[in-house]
Short mmCIF file of all heavy atoms in Angstrom, two decimals:
data_model
loop_
_atom_site.label_atom_id
_atom_site.label_comp_id
_atom_site.label_asym_id
_atom_site.label_seq_id
_atom_site.Cartn_x
_atom_site.Cartn_y
_atom_site.Cartn_z
N ILE G 631 17.02 58.54 45.20
CA ILE G 631 17.09 57.27 45.91
C ILE G 631 16.11 57.31 47.06
O ILE G 631 15.76 58.38 47.57
CB ILE G 631 18.51 56.98 46.47
CG1 ILE G 631 19.01 58.17 47.29
CG2 ILE G 631 19.47 56.61 45.36
CD1 ILE G 631 20.29 57.88 48.04
N THR G 632 15.63 56.16 47.44
CA THR G 632 14.81 56.04 48.63
C THR G 632 15.60 55.21 49.62
O THR G 632 15.84 54.02 49.40
CB THR G 632 13.48 55.33 48.30
OG1 THR G 632 12.84 56.05 47.25
CG2 THR G 632 12.59 55.29 49.52
N VAL G 633 16.05 55.87 50.67
CA VAL G 633 16.86 55.16 51.65
C VAL G 633 15.96 54.27 52.49
O VAL G 633 14.94 54.72 53.02
CB VAL G 633 17.63 56.17 52.53
CG1 VAL G 633 18.33 55.46 53.68
CG2 VAL G 633 18.65 56.91 51.67
N THR G 634 16.29 53.00 52.53
CA THR G 634 15.46 52.05 53.26
C THR G 634 16.02 51.77 54.65
O THR G 634 15.29 51.38 55.55
CB THR G 634 15.36 50.72 52.50
OG1 THR G 634 16.69 50.27 52.20
CG2 THR G 634 14.60 50.91 51.19
N ASP G 635 17.30 51.95 54.81
CA ASP G 635 17.89 51.67 56.12
C ASP G 635 19.25 52.37 56.18
O ASP G 635 19.95 52.43 55.18
CB ASP G 635 18.07 50.16 56.30
CG ASP G 635 18.57 49.83 57.71
OD1 ASP G 635 18.18 50.54 58.65
OD2 ASP G 635 19.36 48.89 57.87
N VAL G 636 19.54 52.90 57.35
CA VAL G 636 20.88 53.45 57.56
C VAL G 636 21.47 52.65 58.71
O VAL G 636 21.10 52.85 59.86
CB VAL G 636 20.85 54.94 57.90
CG1 VAL G 636 22.27 55.47 58.00
CG2 VAL G 636 20.08 55.72 56.85
N PRO G 637 22.31 51.70 58.40
CA PRO G 637 22.81 50.84 59.46
C PRO G 637 23.69 51.61 60.44
O PRO G 637 24.51 52.45 60.05
CB PRO G 637 23.61 49.77 58.72
CG PRO G 637 23.93 50.37 57.41
CD PRO G 637 22.86 51.37 57.09
N ALA G 638 23.48 51.33 61.72
CA ALA G 638 24.27 51.96 62.78
C ALA G 638 25.19 50.90 63.37
O ALA G 638 24.77 49.77 63.61
CB ALA G 638 23.35 52.52 63.86
N LEU G 639 26.42 51.29 63.55
CA LEU G 639 27.39 50.36 64.12
C LEU G 639 28.07 51.06 65.29
O LEU G 639 28.42 52.23 65.20
CB LEU G 639 28.41 49.98 63.05
CG LEU G 639 29.23 48.71 63.29
CD1 LEU G 639 28.32 47.50 63.41
CD2 LEU G 639 30.20 48.51 62.15
N ALA G 640 28.22 50.32 66.40
CA ALA G 640 28.79 50.93 67.61
C ALA G 640 30.32 50.96 67.51
O ALA G 640 30.95 50.00 67.10
CB ALA G 640 28.36 50.14 68.83
N PHE G 641 30.87 52.11 67.87
CA PHE G 641 32.33 52.26 67.98
C PHE G 641 32.62 52.76 69.37
O PHE G 641 31.81 53.49 69.96
CB PHE G 641 32.85 53.25 66.94
CG PHE G 641 32.70 52.75 65.54
CD1 PHE G 641 31.51 52.95 64.85
CD2 PHE G 641 33.73 52.07 64.91
CE1 PHE G 641 31.36 52.48 63.57
CE2 PHE G 641 33.58 51.60 63.62
CZ PHE G 641 32.40 51.80 62.94
N ASP G 642 33.76 52.40 69.93
CA ASP G 642 34.05 52.92 71.26
C ASP G 642 35.52 53.24 71.41
O ASP G 642 36.37 52.72 70.67
CB ASP G 642 33.59 51.94 72.34
CG ASP G 642 34.55 50.79 72.52
OD1 ASP G 642 34.70 50.03 71.55
OD2 ASP G 642 35.17 50.69 73.60
N ASP G 643 35.79 54.18 72.34
CA ASP G 643 37.18 54.50 72.65
C ASP G 643 37.24 55.18 74.02
O ASP G 643 36.20 55.52 74.59
CB ASP G 643 37.79 55.40 71.57
CG ASP G 643 39.29 55.10 71.39
OD1 ASP G 643 39.94 54.70 72.39
OD2 ASP G 643 39.78 55.27 70.27
N ASN G 644 38.46 55.33 74.50
CA ASN G 644 38.68 55.88 75.84
C ASN G 644 39.33 57.26 75.77
O ASN G 644 39.90 57.62 74.76
CB ASN G 644 39.64 54.98 76.64
CG ASN G 644 39.15 53.56 76.66
OD1 ASN G 644 37.94 53.32 76.70
ND2 ASN G 644 40.08 52.62 76.59
N GLY G 645 39.25 57.96 76.90
CA GLY G 645 39.95 59.24 76.96
C GLY G 645 40.00 59.75 78.40
O GLY G 645 39.23 59.30 79.25
N PHE G 646 40.92 60.65 78.65
CA PHE G 646 41.05 61.24 79.99
C PHE G 646 40.59 62.69 79.97
O PHE G 646 40.76 63.39 78.99
CB PHE G 646 42.49 61.17 80.47
CG PHE G 646 42.88 59.76 80.87
CD1 PHE G 646 43.55 58.94 79.97
CD2 PHE G 646 42.55 59.27 82.13
CE1 PHE G 646 43.89 57.65 80.33
CE2 PHE G 646 42.90 57.98 82.50
CZ PHE G 646 43.57 57.16 81.59
N GLY G 647 40.01 63.10 81.12
CA GLY G 647 39.57 64.48 81.25
C GLY G 647 39.59 64.87 82.72
O GLY G 647 40.44 64.40 83.48
N PHE G 648 38.65 65.69 83.09
CA PHE G 648 38.61 66.16 84.47
C PHE G 648 37.16 66.20 84.93
O PHE G 648 36.24 66.10 84.13
CB PHE G 648 39.22 67.56 84.58
CG PHE G 648 38.35 68.60 83.93
CD1 PHE G 648 37.42 69.33 84.69
CD2 PHE G 648 38.43 68.84 82.57
CE1 PHE G 648 36.60 70.27 84.09
CE2 PHE G 648 37.61 69.79 81.98
CZ PHE G 648 36.70 70.50 82.73
N ASN G 649 37.01 66.35 86.26
CA ASN G 649 35.66 66.58 86.78
C ASN G 649 35.76 67.48 87.99
O ASN G 649 36.79 67.55 88.67
CB ASN G 649 34.97 65.26 87.15
CG ASN G 649 35.46 64.69 88.47
OD1 ASN G 649 34.82 64.84 89.51
ND2 ASN G 649 36.64 64.05 88.45
N VAL G 650 34.68 68.19 88.23
CA VAL G 650 34.61 69.07 89.39
C VAL G 650 33.14 69.10 89.83
O VAL G 650 32.24 69.00 89.01
CB VAL G 650 35.16 70.47 89.03
CG1 VAL G 650 34.40 71.06 87.86
CG2 VAL G 650 35.09 71.41 90.22
N GLY G 651 32.94 69.18 91.15
CA GLY G 651 31.54 69.16 91.57
C GLY G 651 31.41 69.35 93.07
O GLY G 651 32.37 69.63 93.78
N ALA G 652 30.16 69.21 93.53
CA ALA G 652 29.87 69.39 94.95
C ALA G 652 28.69 68.52 95.32
O ALA G 652 27.91 68.10 94.44
CB ALA G 652 29.53 70.85 95.23
N GLY G 653 28.59 68.23 96.65
CA GLY G 653 27.49 67.38 97.07
C GLY G 653 27.02 67.76 98.46
O GLY G 653 27.68 68.48 99.20
N VAL G 654 25.84 67.26 98.77
CA VAL G 654 25.32 67.45 100.11
C VAL G 654 24.67 66.14 100.55
O VAL G 654 24.08 65.43 99.73
CB VAL G 654 24.31 68.63 100.15
CG1 VAL G 654 23.17 68.40 99.17
CG2 VAL G 654 23.77 68.85 101.55
N GLY G 655 24.87 65.82 101.86
CA GLY G 655 24.29 64.58 102.35
C GLY G 655 23.54 64.80 103.65
O GLY G 655 23.77 65.80 104.35
N TYR G 656 22.64 63.89 103.94
CA TYR G 656 21.91 63.97 105.20
C TYR G 656 21.95 62.59 105.83
O TYR G 656 21.63 61.58 105.21
CB TYR G 656 20.45 64.38 104.93
CG TYR G 656 19.62 64.41 106.19
CD1 TYR G 656 19.70 65.51 107.06
CD2 TYR G 656 18.80 63.34 106.53
CE1 TYR G 656 18.96 65.52 108.23
CE2 TYR G 656 18.07 63.35 107.70
CZ TYR G 656 18.14 64.44 108.55
OH TYR G 656 17.40 64.44 109.71
N ARG G 657 22.40 62.58 107.12
CA ARG G 657 22.56 61.29 107.79
C ARG G 657 21.34 61.01 108.67
O ARG G 657 20.98 61.81 109.52
CB ARG G 657 23.80 61.30 108.68
CG ARG G 657 25.04 61.58 107.89
CD ARG G 657 26.26 61.51 108.78
NE ARG G 657 27.40 62.04 108.05
CZ ARG G 657 28.62 61.58 108.20
NH1 ARG G 657 28.88 60.60 109.06
NH2 ARG G 657 29.60 62.10 107.51
N PHE G 658 20.73 59.87 108.44
CA PHE G 658 19.66 59.42 109.34
C PHE G 658 20.26 58.86 110.62
O PHE G 658 19.78 59.10 111.71
CB PHE G 658 18.81 58.35 108.67
CG PHE G 658 18.16 58.82 107.39
CD1 PHE G 658 18.47 58.23 106.17
CD2 PHE G 658 17.25 59.89 107.42
CE1 PHE G 658 17.87 58.67 105.01
CE2 PHE G 658 16.65 60.32 106.25
CZ PHE G 658 16.96 59.71 105.04
N THR G 659 21.33 58.11 110.47
CA THR G 659 22.05 57.56 111.61
C THR G 659 23.52 57.80 111.34
O THR G 659 23.88 58.41 110.34
CB THR G 659 21.81 56.04 111.75
OG1 THR G 659 22.47 55.38 110.67
CG2 THR G 659 20.31 55.71 111.72
N ASP G 660 24.36 57.26 112.21
CA ASP G 660 25.80 57.40 112.00
C ASP G 660 26.29 56.66 110.78
O ASP G 660 27.35 56.95 110.24
CB ASP G 660 26.57 56.88 113.23
CG ASP G 660 26.68 57.96 114.29
OD1 ASP G 660 26.24 59.10 113.99
OD2 ASP G 660 27.17 57.66 115.39
N SER G 661 25.51 55.71 110.34
CA SER G 661 26.02 54.91 109.23
C SER G 661 25.17 54.94 107.97
O SER G 661 25.58 54.45 106.93
CB SER G 661 26.20 53.44 109.67
OG SER G 661 24.97 52.94 110.14
N ILE G 662 24.01 55.55 108.03
CA ILE G 662 23.12 55.55 106.85
C ILE G 662 22.63 56.96 106.57
O ILE G 662 22.25 57.68 107.50
CB ILE G 662 21.89 54.64 107.07
CG1 ILE G 662 22.29 53.17 107.16
CG2 ILE G 662 20.86 54.83 105.96
CD1 ILE G 662 22.69 52.56 105.83
N GLY G 663 22.61 57.30 105.30
CA GLY G 663 22.08 58.59 104.93
C GLY G 663 21.73 58.64 103.45
O GLY G 663 21.75 57.62 102.76
N VAL G 664 21.40 59.85 103.01
CA VAL G 664 21.17 60.05 101.59
C VAL G 664 21.96 61.27 101.15
O VAL G 664 22.39 62.08 101.99
CB VAL G 664 19.67 60.28 101.28
CG1 VAL G 664 18.87 59.01 101.51
CG2 VAL G 664 19.11 61.44 102.08
N GLY G 665 22.16 61.36 99.84
CA GLY G 665 22.91 62.51 99.35
C GLY G 665 22.68 62.76 97.88
O GLY G 665 22.17 61.89 97.16
N VAL G 666 23.02 63.97 97.49
CA VAL G 666 23.00 64.30 96.06
C VAL G 666 24.31 64.97 95.69
O VAL G 666 24.94 65.64 96.54
CB VAL G 666 21.82 65.25 95.70
CG1 VAL G 666 20.49 64.54 95.88
CG2 VAL G 666 21.87 66.51 96.54
N THR G 667 24.73 64.78 94.47
CA THR G 667 25.92 65.49 93.97
C THR G 667 25.61 66.09 92.61
O THR G 667 24.76 65.59 91.86
CB THR G 667 27.13 64.53 93.79
OG1 THR G 667 26.76 63.48 92.90
CG2 THR G 667 27.58 63.95 95.11
N GLY G 668 26.32 67.11 92.32
CA GLY G 668 26.30 67.68 90.97
C GLY G 668 27.74 67.67 90.48
O GLY G 668 28.66 68.02 91.22
N ARG G 669 27.91 67.24 89.26
CA ARG G 669 29.28 67.09 88.78
C ARG G 669 29.37 67.58 87.34
O ARG G 669 28.51 67.26 86.51
CB ARG G 669 29.68 65.61 88.84
CG ARG G 669 31.14 65.34 88.48
CD ARG G 669 31.37 63.85 88.23
NE ARG G 669 30.99 62.98 89.33
CZ ARG G 669 31.77 62.65 90.35
NH1 ARG G 669 32.99 63.14 90.43
NH2 ARG G 669 31.34 61.85 91.28
N PHE G 670 30.39 68.36 87.09
CA PHE G 670 30.68 68.69 85.70
C PHE G 670 31.96 67.97 85.31
O PHE G 670 32.97 68.05 86.03
CB PHE G 670 30.85 70.19 85.50
CG PHE G 670 31.16 70.54 84.07
CD1 PHE G 670 30.12 70.65 83.14
CD2 PHE G 670 32.47 70.71 83.64
CE1 PHE G 670 30.40 70.93 81.81
CE2 PHE G 670 32.75 70.99 82.31
CZ PHE G 670 31.71 71.11 81.40
N SER G 671 31.92 67.28 84.21
CA SER G 671 33.12 66.57 83.76
C SER G 671 33.28 66.80 82.26
O SER G 671 32.35 67.15 81.55
CB SER G 671 33.00 65.07 84.05
OG SER G 671 31.89 64.54 83.37
N ARG G 672 34.47 66.57 81.81
CA ARG G 672 34.71 66.76 80.38
C ARG G 672 35.90 65.92 79.94
O ARG G 672 36.95 65.89 80.60
CB ARG G 672 35.01 68.25 80.09
CG ARG G 672 35.33 68.56 78.65
CD ARG G 672 34.17 68.29 77.68
NE ARG G 672 33.17 69.32 77.70
CZ ARG G 672 31.85 69.08 77.70
NH1 ARG G 672 31.40 67.85 77.71
NH2 ARG G 672 30.99 70.07 77.67
N ALA G 673 35.72 65.23 78.83
CA ALA G 673 36.82 64.53 78.16
C ALA G 673 36.48 64.46 76.69
O ALA G 673 35.32 64.35 76.32
CB ALA G 673 37.02 63.12 78.72
N THR G 674 37.47 64.57 75.85
CA THR G 674 37.23 64.46 74.41
C THR G 674 37.64 63.08 73.95
O THR G 674 38.78 62.66 74.15
CB THR G 674 38.01 65.55 73.65
OG1 THR G 674 37.57 66.82 74.13
CG2 THR G 674 37.75 65.45 72.16
#
Side-chain angles (χ1 to χ4, degrees):
Chain G
I631 52 171
T632 304
V633 172
T634 53
D635 185 34
V636 184
L639 199 60
F641 293 86
D642 78 297
D643 213 329
N644 307 324
F646 286 97
F648 70 94
N649 78 99
V650 57
V654 58
Y656 177 80
R657 301 183 191 214
F658 301 117
T659 70
D660 275 355
S661 57
I662 293 287
V664 292
V666 293
T667 57
R669 185 194 304 273
F670 180 83
S671 61
R672 178 64 78 223
T674 300

